[in-house]
Amino acid sequence: MGGRIQKYRGERFLLAFQNLHRYFLYIALIFCVILSYDAVVSFYFEGEFGVGIGSIVMTFNAVFLTAFTLGCNSLRHLIGGNLNCYSCTSFGHQRYQAWKFVSLFNMHHNIWAWISLFWVGFTDFYIRIVSMGILTDYRII
């Protein structure tokens, strides 16, 4: 084995990647708020409330991406991590309920990933063809 001894550096790369993942979670949460705002605004046509195909598409886009983001392991850790006993802390019950809620999304995180991936592409395509005048965004209500 050679005369050189390798120093153990721990899981530095993986831990750095996990922290990077957590920072992207914060950015994703901001985008979920922005997309939700855009979805709400899409229900107003020239100052009047209405429902169009585009507003439904944009609402599903915000819902699917938010469901995917809520299922992130980093969010589960942020909400319920570092606790051995929920009832031993203030707001323990609320944190436990929030952790259970996020865990529901986490169980199907991979499905939310595929649905949101497809739907983001579809939403971008739909908005593009409507903005180009190829398709009309019909108002349902």
Side-chain angles (χ1 to χ4, degrees):
M1 297 217 235
R4 196 168 151 197
I5 298 175
Q6 295 285 343
K7 280 187 171 181
Y8 177 69
R9 294 178 13 171
E11 294 88 14
R12 290 183 185 167
F13 173 73
L14 294 176
L15 292 176
F17 180 74
Q18 179 62 27
N19 285 335
L20 187 63
H21 186 205
R22 194 167 294 144
Y23 298 138
F24 278 110
L25 166 70
Y26 302 145
I27 295 169
L29 288 170
I30 292 169
F31 273 102
C32 288
V33 171
I34 293 169
L35 289 173
S36 297
Y37 173 78
D38 287 343
V40 169
V41 169
S42 72
F43 283 97
Y44 292 93
F45 297 86
E46 299 171 359
E48 288 185 24
F49 179 80
V51 178
I53 302 296
S55 46
I56 294 170
V57 168
M58 290 182 71
T59 300
F60 278 129
N61 187 46
V63 167
F64 292 151
L65 275 171
T66 301
F68 171 64
T69 304
L70 288 178
C72 180
N73 285 323
S74 291
L75 184 61
R76 282 181 74 210
H77 179 74
L78 182 68
I79 290 173
N82 297 328
L83 285 180
N84 292 328
C85 175
Y86 284 106
S87 62
C88 300
T89 63
S90 60
F91 301 109
H93 179 71
Q94 291 84 355
R95 283 185 71 181
Y96 178 65
Q97 294 302 321
W99 180 82
K100 281 187 359 183
F101 178 74
V102 170
S103 295
L104 290 173
F105 291 101
N106 183 262
M107 288 189 311
H108 305 289
H109 189 58
N110 59 339
I111 294 170
W112 289 119
W114 284 108
I115 291 171
S116 63
L117 178 69
F118 168 76
W119 203 262
V120 165
F122 176 73
T123 302
D124 287 348
F125 175 73
Y126 184 81
I127 291 171
R128 175 74 174 167
I129 61 173
V130 169
S131 69
M132 292 173 64
I134 297 171
L135 189 67
T136 303
D137 184 27
Y138 291 103
R139 190 172 178 178
I140 299 169
I141 298 175

